[in-house]
Amino acid sequence: MRSNVGRVGERLLPVDPAIRGVAEQLYSLVADAPIISPHGHVPARMLADNHAFENAAELFVTKDHYITRMLHAAGVSLSELSGAEPRSTWRHLAENWHRFAGTASGYWLETELSDVLGITIPICAETADEIYDAVDVVLASPEFRPRELFRRFGVSVLATTDDPLDDLSAHAQLREADLGGHVLPTFRPDIYLDPDAASFGSAVDALLATTAEPATFSGYLAALENRREHFVRHGGVSTDHGVEEPYTLDIDADEAAALFQRVMRREASAADHRAFRGHMLLQMARMSVDDGLVMTVHAGIHRNHSSATFSAFGPDTGHDIPVPTTFTRGMKPLLERYGLEKNLHLVLFTVDETTFSRELAPLAGFYPSVYVGAPWWFLDAPDAILRFRSAVTETAGFYRTSGFIDDTRAFLSIPARHDVARRADVAYLSRLVMERRITLELAERIARDLVDAIPREVFKL
Amino acid sequence: MRSNVGRVGERLLPVDPAIRGVAEQLYSLVADAPIISPHGHVPARMLADNHAFENAAELFVTKDHYITRMLHAAGVSLSELSGAEPRSTWRHLAENWHRFAGTASGYWLETELSDVLGITIPICAETADEIYDAVDVVLASPEFRPRELFRRFGVSVLATTDDPLDDLSAHAQLREADLGGHVLPTFRPDIYLDPDAASFGSAVDALLATTAEPATFSGYLAALENRREHFVRHGGVSTDHGVEEPYTLDIDADEAAALFQRVMRREASAADHRAFRGHMLLQMARMSVDDGLVMTVHAGIHRNHSSATFSAFGPDTGHDIPVPTTFTRGMKPLLERYGLEKNLHLVLFTVDETTFSRELAPLAGFYPSVYVGAPWWFLDAPDAILRFRSAVTETAGFYRTSGFIDDTRAFLSIPARHDVARRADVAYLSRLVMERRITLELAERIARDLVDAIPREVFKL
Amino acid sequence: MRSNVGRVGERLLPVDPAIRGVAEQLYSLVADAPIISPHGHVPARMLADNHAFENAAELFVTKDHYITRMLHAAGVSLSELSGAEPRSTWRHLAENWHRFAGTASGYWLETELSDVLGITIPICAETADEIYDAVDVVLASPEFRPRELFRRFGVSVLATTDDPLDDLSAHAQLREADLGGHVLPTFRPDIYLDPDAASFGSAVDALLATTAEPATFSGYLAALENRREHFVRHGGVSTDHGVEEPYTLDIDADEAAALFQRVMRREASAADHRAFRGHMLLQMARMSVDDGLVMTVHAGIHRNHSSATFSAFGPDTGHDIPVPTTFTRGMKPLLERYGLEKNLHLVLFTVDETTFSRELAPLAGFYPSVYVGAPWWFLDAPDAILRFRSAVTETAGFYRTSGFIDDTRAFLSIPARHDVARRADVAYLSRLVMERRITLELAERIARDLVDAIPREVFKL
């Protein structure tokens, strides 16, 4: 989306006039740059089908667990938000809008309404219906369907996140479309690698069934390699791994094969499960060295904290909670084996800010394979991005970081999210310039590289 | 206390002129608002008796372990500070005053001297006696007795912290008094719930002796319920729990009864003790669902680090030291069972800042029962409060936080502490306004709610 | 080095004009103050021999693992940086100079080039040879030899780090020299205390061989005491301890003697090794109480993360990575026994920022023996220093911190490093002044004390 720098020029930029002057100059260089989104959760099918969005509730509430969790915390039950009448769902949000003040979600949503849909009515209980109706009017227009917005947003690359057994037909369809940019699949094999996943057994059975491979460890590895190859053929550039603990384990082939058999026969202990997960993360790195897929690890989230909510409403309903995270010892076996490989790109994401200066910047400041993932999930917000840059840059600079990823299901929020990151980055850069730590010329190069050269290098685009 | 905005208007507010302008505007809305203090350690007896304060040493040094610890670190032994001649004790502080530069304690004490007692002489060795004498003069005046100050401070609610077996007679006496505000008891049962507490055995015996309950687990639970009911009758709104580790455990009634018997017979292991503490924290949540008392948990402090000091001078002598803290897994059993209950309010306090963005904001952003406790103890200071708002707000907003608590024994410091929190909060809000993240109108509402509607909702006032 | 305040006055100081005004005033008080460097790694031999530096590669690249690690991360192999032709090594740095933007290393190096060598050409691929040649010209001048620079830098005290068996002849030689300041040895016994160190066995054998002591625990202790005495005789004021985990253990003499025997006979378990390290750290504190040597503990680094790199290039090659660190429980046995001793000065350094507000400030705010070490290693940078002051000061003030230590092997970088710390400290102080938290007069005293009285007290200079 082409931002109107004049109109919204002040947003999120430093308030000090001298720093703001520099920030505005830097921002003007990147405000309209194409969007590279190398990790996110927009369904390819949505773009392939290109159906119009239905209403404000569907667009802004029910599918966004950043939003529903806060309404739930305010006392609105999730059943009032999912199965309910959409206007009533939207009203819940409007009535509770003050609760989103200062949150990233609140900022994005206001930006989407104003900058994408052109609706600038302040959100509150009294305006709920007026906004709901205005959104309906806008969504009826063909130019607000997904593909049209994709072009308008200026998306250059959009990576989706996909099941390894997905046939990627939606992606095949999109390669034919004239979108002005590329939609790429991402290989996300968690449930095939984690014996504690509810669907692990059936997932591995289905995986093996797609091939002629026997139900041995080497057959299982070969099946995974086949599916990765399928993703490579469809333009995939990366694999993604969501783990509670960034733990890796290097064991020999016999030991791994025996472990696999225990796991498959359901004779494995909890320690075996951990070992299996840890070894498979290392196997993923091995495969990445072979096939060149970038490996992203999103670590440190305890999923589905509330069992009652999970039972009633499923996963991704707002109660995934971070835990203390450390990478130094847990990633060592993987890095000992593959960390110096030229072909490996390993992007480490965290929701535990303590690891930024303590571990991720030092690791990325040595291993050519390691990049510090941009602030993510709860940390994908203006202040948190500034804390990230402050914590990482003095040790690892800018060129060992990943570039922004939006990680979103909320398609309409993509320009707002990238814009926040761009503003936060130039805010940080402009302070460095005014503190005489870097020249303006260098800041200009870095600002540009952060939205283009850097994500292209990291994600091999 | 009515602050003089003109005179002290600059204190702690942002230096940038544009942000300061907004901050002053917001501060003017809350500077004189009544003080709601829903958690602290002022003795109800002090207000009931209403004796004059004795001297500067008693008022500012001997009873404030924030102060004595720093003098101890400077080489003044605690015996020189407790049993000693008060003028000499005060001189120790004055001679070491430069050591308090930049500390919260130093800021509070200067504010108390100037804003409450009207003494603006800079503190140093040379002025020690002059200030001591000036304080003596002021304290002789009847308007500086506790109840008169209570009224002058504009305290609307002051919660004390009390032993479960306290007869609460001081509170009964105060309900009759004309204070212009309410003094409420708080149920603090730590020594009755922790088998590792030195006085656990005698405490539980005394607890059971107050009732006709047998020395069984259910008798013990019933006795606790009785005492909570006693607190409710005397206006109590909350229970408070100080734990080193925020750990909870859900076990069935038979298992719990057997565990209780092992504990009482002193046959319990260290693991049993931990299990008992963890289960009793969960039982407290159950009782809160029943009787509606708000539950506050102050976690992560290793008490009495120096055994020699503890032996000689007792607890609360300055060597309670924080430890790494995590809530996500440890509070899960309690939240699984009671986290979705409408009647439960659970306020989680930490002295480990890492939990703010990593755990507390995400938990409070989902569970309707969970609130993020305000920065506390070592974190109750201007910069720390700004870090707290920055870490919490982008994930959980303002309305999932507790409002300020002063947690103090130092009655005279209450206005200064609340004033610091108000200034820090408007400093943060004014930056959001100037960064175009929230409107001034919304910031005004939030500033007001933080000192009134929010603590009233959280603490059911 | 005498800084030119006019020319470089803006560097790193706050951008806000009002705060900058105060900061410049404070900076003018300390800009030219003598350098006290109580911990670092400059070899005494370098100063004793006083050979000219060879070239830009030797001076700025090959011996500085802050620099080589980042080039390695950029894809330059370490073999291209160590054995290679120096001009080619320098070119690697120049080509990758944008990667150092915003890093502390980058800032120091530019400052060294401009302020020490007078070379102000911007670094890039095109200017690599020009700068290399310019450095050659400068280094040929006698005034750029180590001793001449030592005088020009205005070093008052420079502590080196030395093996306990070092004869300290270079130090003896330097005591005769007219340097305008003192060079002091530091006792660094890690490999003599850690059974997991590769050279532990041979080190202890060599230690015992220097004395008539038998190979018993008491003989081993006596030998260590002898060597400490040797350092005291040569002007040493401190011992330094690098540990992955700040763990201490108090066991009785018999148990310790038996443990020593198991360790020496290689019959010790991993737990024994940990116990031995923990007990020896406590023994070092005992010896410090006896001989008065200040004890510095640098904790929390996992050394030599990449085994392949360690095998090929040895230690200190850029892959020492921090781990989560906690002091509260691990240092308790040592503090229980010696923490209240007047003669003990224990300076705790961390690379885990989370410990600043959580543990180190509270510990130093009570124990007269404990000081919070200045930000170190990855945290020795402008933003990190401000975070440190913000995290520590509100709890422990300024007078429980250690004063700056540069910890560097890079002799030429010493003035730049101290200058960064001075600028960061006055930046912090000036904000406190403008927020009306301390007076300008007090800030002036603190600014001066931080570079003089404070390190002199902490390190008993």
Side-chain angles (χ1 to χ4, degrees):
Chain A
M1 190 193 64
R2 305 301 150 177
S3 297
N4 180 335
V5 181
R7 187 167 54 82
V8 300
E10 292 183 320
R11 280 187 201 159
L12 300 183
L13 296 187
V15 177
D16 178 273
I19 307 182
R20 171 168 288 177
V22 176
E24 285 175 352
Q25 207 168 333
L26 296 174
Y27 180 63
S28 72
L29 302 175
V30 297
D32 296 336
I35 288 174
I36 296 177
S37 172
H39 178 72
H41 295 269
V42 169
R45 179 54 56 203
M46 188 194 81
L47 287 160
D49 292 348
N50 203 32
H51 296 146
F53 296 103
E54 294 193 19
N55 52 56
E58 187 226 11
L59 201 55
F60 295 124
V61 186
T62 52
K63 291 181 177 164
D64 188 344
H65 57 79
Y66 281 62
I67 296 289
T68 56
R69 70 182 180 90
M70 283 284 279
L71 294 175
H72 181 260
V76 183
S77 74
L78 293 182
S79 56
E80 293 175 84
L81 296 172
S82 54
E85 199 268 317
R87 184 180 293 268
S88 143
T89 295
W90 171 256
R91 280 182 190 151
H92 281 302
L93 180 66
E95 284 159 14
N96 284 286
W97 191 242
H98 60 289
R99 296 176 178 275
F100 291 85
T103 66
S105 297
Y107 182 85
W108 294 328
L109 201 151
E110 287 184 350
T111 308
E112 293 167 59
L113 270 182
S114 70
D115 294 12
V116 180
L117 305 187
I119 299 170
T120 55
I121 308 161
I123 308 170
C124 61
E126 290 70 31
T127 60
D129 285 339
E130 186 186 355
I131 296 173
Y132 188 89
D133 294 336
V135 171
D136 267 358
V137 170
V138 173
L139 295 183
S141 157
E143 60 179 301
F144 288 92
R145 288 178 310 175
R147 291 194 190 185
E148 284 64 29
L149 288 174
F150 189 102
R151 272 186 288 267
R152 180 174 151 209
F153 291 168
V155 178
S156 167
V157 174
L158 179 77
T160 62
T161 298
D162 307 273
D163 188 278
L165 300 191
D166 195 302
D167 63 7
L168 304 179
S169 57
H171 289 83
Q173 201 177 327
L174 287 168
R175 292 196 95 163
E176 310 301 313
D178 174 25
L179 288 172
H182 304 287
V183 180
L184 315 176
T186 301
F187 185 82
R188 171 84 175 235
D190 294 351
I191 61 168
Y192 300 83
L193 309 182
D194 177 7
D196 286 334
S199 52
F200 174 76
S202 58
V204 173
D205 288 347
L207 172 68
L208 292 167
T210 61
T211 72
E213 302 295 340
T216 62
F217 188 56
S218 58
Y220 165 73
L221 294 180
L224 286 165
E225 288 162 0
N226 288 345
R227 296 311 299 173
R228 292 170 63 107
E229 182 54 31
H230 173 67
F231 274 66
V232 171
R233 278 195 307 270
H234 284 78
V237 296
S238 71
T239 71
D240 182 47
H241 306 273
V243 295
E244 183 162 333
E245 178 193 22
Y247 171 75
T248 61
L249 180 69
D250 196 351
I251 50 180
D252 69 26
D254 290 350
E255 209 178 332
L259 178 60
F260 177 75
Q261 290 307 329
R262 285 202 301 284
V263 165
M264 294 304 285
R265 287 198 301 265
R266 301 189 181 175
E267 295 165 0
S269 66
D272 279 342
H273 282 192
R274 181 173 183 250
F276 189 80
R277 279 192 299 269
H279 183 61
M280 286 312 299
L281 205 56
L282 184 135
Q283 286 286 348
M284 288 293 116
R286 175 186 65 75
M287 294 181 197
S288 276
V289 172
D290 291 346
D291 61 24
L293 286 174
V294 174
M295 184 173 181
T296 68
V297 175
H298 289 80
I301 299 277
H302 181 91
R303 302 271 170 183
N304 307 314
H305 196 266
S306 167
S307 304
T309 307
F310 178 67
S311 300
F313 302 97
D316 299 325
T317 45
H319 46 106
D320 297 341
I321 311 290
V323 291
T325 302
T326 174
F327 295 86
T328 302
R329 296 190 187 101
M331 295 305 288
K332 185 170 173 171
L334 185 156
L335 290 169
E336 284 278 33
R337 191 167 271 265
Y338 304 114
L340 305 179
E341 294 282 352
K342 297 277 180 202
N343 209 28
L344 181 66
H345 285 196
L346 175 63
V347 192
L348 300 177
F349 292 90
T350 189
V351 274
D352 180 347
E353 298 188 57
T354 70
T355 63
F356 283 140
S357 73
R358 190 181 61 212
E359 305 180 32
L360 294 184
L363 284 167
F366 174 75
Y367 287 103
S369 57
V370 175
Y371 295 90
V372 187
W376 157 67
W377 203 322
F378 300 108
L379 303 178
D380 174 11
D383 280 13
I385 293 173
L386 286 173
R387 291 198 301 273
F388 159 79
R389 286 285 173 214
S390 180
V392 167
T393 308
E394 294 183 325
T395 292
F398 294 91
Y399 289 83
R400 304 302 304 154
T401 62
S402 71
F404 184 65
I405 59 134
D406 56 65
D407 194 33
T408 192
R409 284 167 171 71
F411 181 62
L412 233 67
S413 72
I414 288 177
R417 289 169 189 253
H418 284 261
D419 190 59
V420 167
R422 291 170 185 192
R423 289 171 185 268
D425 281 342
V426 302
Y428 178 70
L429 282 164
S430 59
R431 178 167 67 83
L432 295 195
V433 170
M434 288 307 296
E435 292 176 359
R436 306 307 176 210
R437 295 164 69 177
I438 57 174
T439 62
L440 178 59
E441 190 185 358
L442 185 51
E444 289 174 347
R445 174 180 173 179
I446 294 166
R448 280 201 189 92
D449 286 351
L450 283 172
V451 300
D452 187 39
I454 286 174
R456 288 191 189 280
E457 179 203 314
V458 174
F459 284 91
K460 302 183 178 178
L461 297 169
Chain B
M1 191 192 62
R2 306 300 151 176
S3 297
N4 180 335
V5 181
R7 188 167 54 83
V8 300
E10 290 183 321
R11 282 188 200 157
L12 301 182
L13 297 186
V15 178
D16 179 274
I19 306 182
R20 171 168 289 178
V22 175
E24 285 174 353
Q25 206 168 333
L26 296 174
Y27 179 62
S28 71
L29 302 175
V30 296
D32 296 335
I35 288 174
I36 295 177
S37 172
H39 179 71
H41 295 269
V42 169
R45 180 54 56 201
M46 188 193 80
L47 286 161
D49 293 348
N50 204 32
H51 296 147
F53 296 103
E54 293 193 19
N55 52 58
E58 186 227 10
L59 201 56
F60 295 124
V61 187
T62 52
K63 291 183 178 163
D64 188 344
H65 59 78
Y66 281 62
I67 296 288
T68 55
R69 71 182 180 89
M70 283 284 278
L71 294 176
H72 181 260
V76 183
S77 73
L78 292 183
S79 56
E80 293 176 82
L81 296 173
S82 53
E85 201 269 314
R87 185 180 293 266
S88 143
T89 295
W90 171 256
R91 281 182 191 150
H92 281 302
L93 179 67
E95 284 159 14
N96 284 287
W97 191 242
H98 61 289
R99 296 176 178 275
F100 290 85
T103 66
S105 297
Y107 181 86
W108 293 328
L109 201 152
E110 288 185 350
T111 307
E112 293 168 59
L113 269 182
S114 70
D115 293 12
V116 180
L117 304 186
I119 299 171
T120 56
I121 308 162
I123 308 171
C124 63
E126 291 68 31
T127 60
D129 285 340
E130 187 186 354
I131 296 173
Y132 188 89
D133 295 335
V135 171
D136 266 358
V137 170
V138 172
L139 295 184
S141 159
E143 61 181 299
F144 287 91
R145 288 180 309 176
R147 291 195 191 183
E148 283 65 29
L149 289 174
F150 189 101
R151 272 185 289 266
R152 179 173 152 210
F153 291 168
V155 179
S156 167
V157 174
L158 179 76
T160 61
T161 297
D162 307 275
D163 188 279
L165 299 192
D166 194 301
D167 63 7
L168 303 179
S169 58
H171 289 83
Q173 201 178 327
L174 288 167
R175 294 195 94 163
E176 309 301 314
D178 173 27
L179 289 173
H182 303 287
V183 180
L184 315 176
T186 301
F187 184 81
R188 172 83 175 237
D190 294 351
I191 60 167
Y192 299 83
L193 309 182
D194 177 6
D196 285 335
S199 52
F200 174 76
S202 56
V204 173
D205 288 346
L207 172 68
L208 292 167
T210 61
T211 71
E213 301 294 342
T216 61
F217 189 57
S218 58
Y220 165 74
L221 293 180
L224 286 165
E225 288 163 359
N226 288 343
R227 297 310 299 172
R228 293 169 63 107
E229 181 54 30
H230 172 67
F231 275 66
V232 171
R233 278 195 306 272
H234 283 78
V237 296
S238 71
T239 72
D240 182 47
H241 306 273
V243 295
E244 183 161 336
E245 178 194 23
Y247 172 75
T248 61
L249 180 68
D250 196 350
I251 50 180
D252 68 27
D254 290 349
E255 210 180 330
L259 178 59
F260 178 74
Q261 291 306 330
R262 284 202 301 284
V263 164
M264 293 304 284
R265 286 197 303 264
R266 301 188 180 175
E267 295 166 0
S269 65
D272 279 342
H273 283 192
R274 180 173 185 249
F276 189 79
R277 279 191 299 271
H279 183 60
M280 286 312 299
L281 206 56
L282 185 135
Q283 286 286 348
M284 288 292 116
R286 175 187 64 74
M287 295 180 196
S288 277
V289 172
D290 290 345
D291 61 24
L293 287 173
V294 175
M295 185 173 180
T296 69
V297 176
H298 289 82
I301 298 278
H302 182 90
R303 303 272 170 181
N304 307 314
H305 196 266
S306 167
S307 304
T309 306
F310 179 68
S311 301
F313 302 98
D316 298 324
T317 46
H319 45 107
D320 296 342
I321 311 290
V323 292
T325 301
T326 174
F327 294 87
T328 302
R329 296 188 187 103
M331 295 303 290
K332 185 169 173 172
L334 185 156
L335 290 169
E336 285 278 33
R337 191 167 272 264
Y338 304 113
L340 304 179
E341 294 282 351
K342 296 278 182 203
N343 209 28
L344 181 65
H345 285 197
L346 174 62
V347 192
L348 299 177
F349 292 90
T350 190
V351 275
D352 181 347
E353 297 189 57
T354 69
T355 62
F356 284 139
S357 73
R358 190 181 61 212
E359 304 180 32
L360 294 184
L363 285 167
F366 174 76
Y367 287 103
S369 57
V370 175
Y371 295 90
V372 187
W376 157 68
W377 204 321
F378 300 109
L379 303 178
D380 174 10
D383 279 14
I385 293 173
L386 286 173
R387 293 199 300 273
F388 158 80
R389 286 287 172 213
S390 179
V392 167
T393 308
E394 294 183 327
T395 292
F398 293 92
Y399 289 84
R400 304 302 304 153
T401 63
S402 71
F404 184 65
I405 59 134
D406 56 65
D407 194 32
T408 191
R409 284 166 172 73
F411 180 61
L412 234 66
S413 73
I414 288 178
R417 289 169 188 254
H418 284 259
D419 190 59
V420 167
R422 291 169 185 192
R423 288 171 186 268
D425 282 343
V426 301
Y428 178 70
L429 282 165
S430 59
R431 178 167 68 83
L432 295 196
V433 170
M434 288 306 298
E435 290 175 1
R436 307 305 176 210
R437 295 163 70 177
I438 57 174
T439 62
L440 178 59
E441 190 185 0
L442 185 50
E444 289 173 346
R445 172 180 175 178
I446 294 167
R448 281 201 191 92
D449 286 351
L450 283 172
V451 300
D452 188 39
I454 285 174
R456 287 189 189 282
E457 178 203 316
V458 174
F459 284 91
K460 303 183 177 177
L461 296 170
Chain C
M1 191 193 64
R2 306 301 149 176
S3 297
N4 180 335
V5 180
R7 187 166 54 84
V8 301
E10 290 184 321
R11 280 188 200 157
L12 300 182
L13 296 186
V15 178
D16 179 274
I19 306 182
R20 172 168 288 178
V22 175
E24 285 175 352
Q25 207 169 332
L26 296 174
Y27 180 63
S28 71
L29 302 175
V30 297
D32 295 336
I35 288 175
I36 295 177
S37 172
H39 179 71
H41 295 269
V42 169
R45 180 53 56 202
M46 189 194 79
L47 287 160
D49 292 349
N50 204 32
H51 296 147
F53 296 102
E54 294 192 19
N55 52 57
E58 187 226 11
L59 202 55
F60 296 123
V61 186
T62 53
K63 292 183 178 163
D64 188 344
H65 59 78
Y66 281 62
I67 296 288
T68 56
R69 70 182 180 90
M70 283 284 279
L71 294 176
H72 180 261
V76 183
S77 73
L78 292 183
S79 56
E80 292 175 84
L81 296 173
S82 53
E85 201 267 314
R87 185 179 293 267
S88 140
T89 295
W90 171 256
R91 280 182 192 151
H92 280 302
L93 180 66
E95 284 159 13
N96 285 287
W97 191 241
H98 61 290
R99 296 176 178 275
F100 290 85
T103 66
S105 296
Y107 182 85
W108 294 327
L109 201 151
E110 287 185 350
T111 308
E112 293 168 59
L113 270 181
S114 69
D115 294 12
V116 180
L117 304 186
I119 299 170
T120 56
I121 309 161
I123 308 170
C124 62
E126 291 69 31
T127 60
D129 285 339
E130 187 185 354
I131 295 173
Y132 187 89
D133 295 335
V135 171
D136 267 358
V137 170
V138 173
L139 294 183
S141 158
E143 61 181 300
F144 287 92
R145 287 179 311 176
R147 290 195 192 183
E148 284 64 30
L149 288 174
F150 189 102
R151 270 185 291 267
R152 180 173 152 210
F153 291 169
V155 179
S156 168
V157 174
L158 180 75
T160 62
T161 297
D162 308 274
D163 189 278
L165 299 191
D166 193 303
D167 64 8
L168 303 179
S169 57
H171 289 83
Q173 200 177 327
L174 287 168
R175 293 196 93 163
E176 310 300 313
D178 175 26
L179 288 172
H182 304 286
V183 180
L184 314 176
T186 300
F187 184 82
R188 171 82 175 237
D190 295 351
I191 60 168
Y192 299 83
L193 309 182
D194 177 6
D196 286 334
S199 53
F200 174 76
S202 57
V204 173
D205 288 346
L207 171 68
L208 292 167
T210 61
T211 72
E213 302 295 342
T216 62
F217 188 57
S218 59
Y220 165 73
L221 293 179
L224 286 165
E225 288 162 1
N226 288 343
R227 296 312 298 172
R228 292 170 63 108
E229 182 53 32
H230 173 68
F231 274 66
V232 171
R233 278 195 307 272
H234 284 78
V237 296
S238 71
T239 71
D240 182 47
H241 307 273
V243 295
E244 183 161 335
E245 179 194 21
Y247 172 75
T248 61
L249 181 68
D250 197 350
I251 50 180
D252 69 26
D254 290 350
E255 209 179 331
L259 178 60
F260 178 74
Q261 291 306 331
R262 284 203 301 284
V263 165
M264 292 304 286
R265 287 198 300 265
R266 302 188 181 175
E267 296 166 359
S269 65
D272 280 341
H273 283 193
R274 181 172 184 251
F276 189 79
R277 278 192 299 269
H279 184 61
M280 286 312 299
L281 205 56
L282 184 135
Q283 286 286 348
M284 287 292 116
R286 175 187 64 73
M287 295 181 197
S288 277
V289 172
D290 290 345
D291 62 22
L293 286 173
V294 174
M295 185 172 180
T296 68
V297 176
H298 289 82
I301 299 278
H302 181 91
R303 302 271 169 182
N304 306 314
H305 196 266
S306 167
S307 304
T309 307
F310 179 67
S311 301
F313 301 99
D316 299 324
T317 44
H319 46 106
D320 297 341
I321 311 290
V323 290
T325 301
T326 174
F327 294 86
T328 302
R329 294 189 188 104
M331 295 304 288
K332 185 170 174 172
L334 186 156
L335 291 169
E336 284 279 33
R337 191 168 271 264
Y338 304 113
L340 305 179
E341 293 283 351
K342 297 277 181 201
N343 209 27
L344 181 65
H345 286 196
L346 175 62
V347 192
L348 300 176
F349 292 90
T350 189
V351 275
D352 181 347
E353 297 188 57
T354 69
T355 63
F356 284 140
S357 72
R358 190 181 61 212
E359 304 181 31
L360 294 184
L363 285 168
F366 173 76
Y367 286 103
S369 56
V370 175
Y371 295 91
V372 187
W376 156 68
W377 204 322
F378 300 108
L379 303 178
D380 175 10
D383 279 14
I385 293 174
L386 286 173
R387 291 199 301 273
F388 159 80
R389 287 285 172 213
S390 180
V392 167
T393 308
E394 295 184 324
T395 292
F398 293 92
Y399 289 84
R400 305 302 304 154
T401 63
S402 71
F404 185 65
I405 58 135
D406 56 66
D407 194 32
T408 191
R409 283 166 172 71
F411 180 62
L412 234 66
S413 73
I414 288 177
R417 289 169 189 253
H418 284 260
D419 190 59
V420 167
R422 290 169 185 192
R423 288 170 186 268
D425 281 343
V426 302
Y428 178 70
L429 281 165
S430 59
R431 178 167 66 82
L432 295 195
V433 170
M434 288 306 297
E435 290 176 0
R436 307 305 177 211
R437 293 162 71 176
I438 57 173
T439 61
L440 178 59
E441 191 186 358
L442 185 51
E444 289 174 347
R445 173 180 175 179
I446 294 167
R448 281 201 190 92
D449 287 351
L450 283 172
V451 300
D452 188 37
I454 285 173
R456 288 191 188 281
E457 178 203 315
V458 174
F459 284 91
K460 303 184 178 177
L461 297 170

